[in-house]
Every structure is written in C-alpha cells, then in structure tokens.
Amino acid sequence: MPASRPHRVAVLVSEGAKPLDVGIPAQVFTTRASMPYEVRVCGAAPGLVTGGDGLSYCVAHGLEALAWADIVFVPGYRFPDRDDPPAHVVDALSAAHERGARLAAISTGAFTLAATGLLDGKRATTHWHYTKALAAKHPRVLVDENVLFVDEGTVLTSAGAASGIDLCLHVLRGDLGVAASNHAARRLVAAPYRSGGQAQYVPRSVPEPLGERFAATREWALRRLDEPLTLEVLAEHAAVSPRTFSRRFVDDTGYTPMQWVMRARIDVARELLERSQRGVEQIAADVGLGTGANLRLHFQRLLGTTPSEYRRTFARGE
C-alpha cells in the first residue's frame, strides 16, 4: 500500500447484519488524525439493507468498494446456516482477495467468507453457537471453536461481536504498531490485548472473585515488568497455589503465566521502540529482559523481526 494514502477499509453489510458487528470495524478504523484509515460501508448495492435486531442500514456504496479496499470486513448476520450469500457478493469478495485485499469476518460473517472457498484447508472460527454448523456446511474448513480469532494472513475470522474488537485491534497492531493499537483500545475502553487463542466460552465452576483476583494480579504484574516475575511470585500475589494459578490463568488468557509475562514485556518494548529514543540495552532493562541480546532473541522469536527493524518500521517522527 502506498505510504501517501490512508489504509482503505470496506465494511460489507449483508441482509440481517448484526449492528455491533457492523459498528465495530467502522468505529475502530474511524478516520481521524491518529488513525490513517478511510472507511466505506457498503452492501450488495447502494441503498437500504435490512439488518437484524430491528435495525436497517442505508449504505452509500455497492460492491465497487471491495475493489477499492485494502481490507474488507464481513460482519455477522442472522441465519447464516440457512441462507447462502448471493453469488455476485461471493465473486466480488474472491476478486478483492485475488487483487490483494485481506478479508476479515466477524462472527457469522465467516459463513460468507467460507463460501468463497478461501478458508478451505485453513483454520477459522465463528461464534461458538455456530461452529458446528460452519463445519457441517463447509467441511473443508478447519473450524476451531475454542479461540477468539484466527489470522491466516490474507483471511481472518473471529468469534462473537466482542472478539471483533480483538480482531480489529490485532489488525491495527500489525498495520501501525502497538502504541496505536493501545491508543485505540483506550479510546474504546477495551482490553488492549487478548490472545487470539483465548477460549471463547469456558464453562466455569470457579467463583467469580477468583477471576477478579487474577485480573488484579495481571495489573499488578504489568506495573512490575522490570522486576523478577516467576510463577511462584504471581501465584503468591493471587493467593492460590502455583498449580491452580497456572491452570486457571490459561483459561483466562490463552497463555501460560510465563508466556503472558514475556509477551507483556515484548509489547512494552515495542511501545518504547516506537515512542522513545532509548537504546536497545536500556529498553531490555526497562522491561525486565536484562540484556539487549535477550531482548533481540525473544523479539525475533515472537515477532519474526529485530528491535532495530521494528523501530525503523513503526517509530513516529517528532
């Protein structure tokens, strides 16, 4: 994408579209000085589209917006297991993907994405209520019912409406860096980062105060990333055994405690690389990784790049 123009986002509204699913990408990628995006809400044709839950949408653009977009979001809609998307919509999505656009489904929008065949042989998810229906209707799709979102590069899928926020922040983090994603999360009053591998829906016998205690421990740890944070230290703060803490922490976050701590440290390092002139050695000390060599090692392992390359890509000019 040329650096001289904003990222182009199309939101494709289908018959029966869910209002939150439509609104999330339109709001996350809203055009403003801090967000170099242009958003167009479109339908199969310009005009009125009957939505779900008592709302309808008057869209200004038709399928030509898909030929314009860098990324197309397909919001969820009612009765996806019963109603097939129109053939010309499926063809327009396929053409957009062939041209180089990414396609991202929120909730049951995965059914429309699956109809293109682009999810065949790939992992995908949708709202937990419809995962079995998606697998039955599109047996070549590798449906994962236990995650919030799946990124397969040029095709992305997410679970229910709230995980659409997680997916949008994930896209934003890849486009503009972690500082911009965190800024958008604060604006939305949303969690800045939830693992795509976190479970959508976990039946619990755990009393809610325990979950709150773990959230408090995560907040406590985020303020102390420059200090030694072991499983035993975290479990002691949460007032449970290390074994219990480790097992329940995975349910809450999709990561083991030590994986979560490492990713938190790398995320803080990313923001410091973007927003400060600190050297790699100083940043490594600031985030509890000790040495620049250690930071480089984990940065490469988790992000596939080096701190220096990351800074060149995402650092903001003063």
Side-chain angles (χ1 to χ4, degrees), residues 128-255:
W128 60 267
H129 184 76
Y130 286 99
T131 51
K132 288 181 173 55
L134 179 62
K137 194 175 182 70
H138 298 282
R140 297 185 66 186
V141 178
L142 308 178
V143 179
D144 191 337
E145 62 184 11
N146 292 315
V147 294
L148 294 180
F149 62 85
V150 176
D151 182 348
E152 286 280 8
T154 59
V155 285
L156 306 92
T157 53
S158 65
S163 61
I165 298 177
D166 300 311
L167 177 63
C168 288
L169 292 175
H170 170 76
V171 169
L172 183 56
R173 201 158 38 244
D175 287 350
L176 302 183
V178 71
S181 174
N182 288 348
H183 176 77
R186 286 192 293 271
R187 174 168 53 83
L188 296 165
V189 197
Y193 185 75
R194 289 202 298 170
S195 156
Q198 182 172 334
Q200 295 188 36
Y201 176 72
V202 181
R204 295 181 183 271
S205 59
V206 183
E208 193 59 31
L210 186 59
E212 292 171 2
R213 191 186 310 164
F214 284 9
T217 297
R218 292 195 295 272
E219 290 296 322
W220 177 85
L222 287 172
R223 296 192 296 271
R224 293 167 175 80
L225 291 176
D226 59 333
E227 301 175 10
L229 292 173
T230 64
L231 173 60
E232 289 73 22
V233 167
L234 296 171
E236 181 180 0
H237 182 272
V240 295
S241 72
R243 182 178 178 182
T244 296
F245 183 79
S246 185
R247 185 176 68 253
R248 303 277 170 76
F249 196 95
V250 172
D251 286 346
D252 283 349
T253 69
Y255 291 122

Side-chain angles (χ1 to χ4, degrees), residues 113-124:
L113 208 51
T116 67
L118 294 169
L119 293 180
D120 288 356
K122 294 184 171 66
R123 286 178 62 239

Side-chain angles (χ1 to χ4, degrees), residues 5 35-36 40 64 82 88 102 105 117-118 131 146 155 160 163 214 231 263 273 290:
R5 68 165 173 81
M35 296 283 288
R40 294 183 182 177
E64 74 281 354
R82 190 178 71 189
H88 62 296
R102 289 175 290 172
L118 294 169
T131 51
N146 292 315
V155 285
S163 61
F214 284 9
L231 173 60
R263 287 181 176 270
L273 287 164

Side-chain angles (χ1 to χ4, degrees), residues 61-82:
H61 303 280
L63 293 176
E64 74 281 354
L66 274 58
W68 162 90
D70 300 309
I71 184 167
V72 179
F73 281 91
V74 185
Y77 53 95
R78 291 171 61 83
F79 311 123
D81 50 340
R82 190 178 71 189

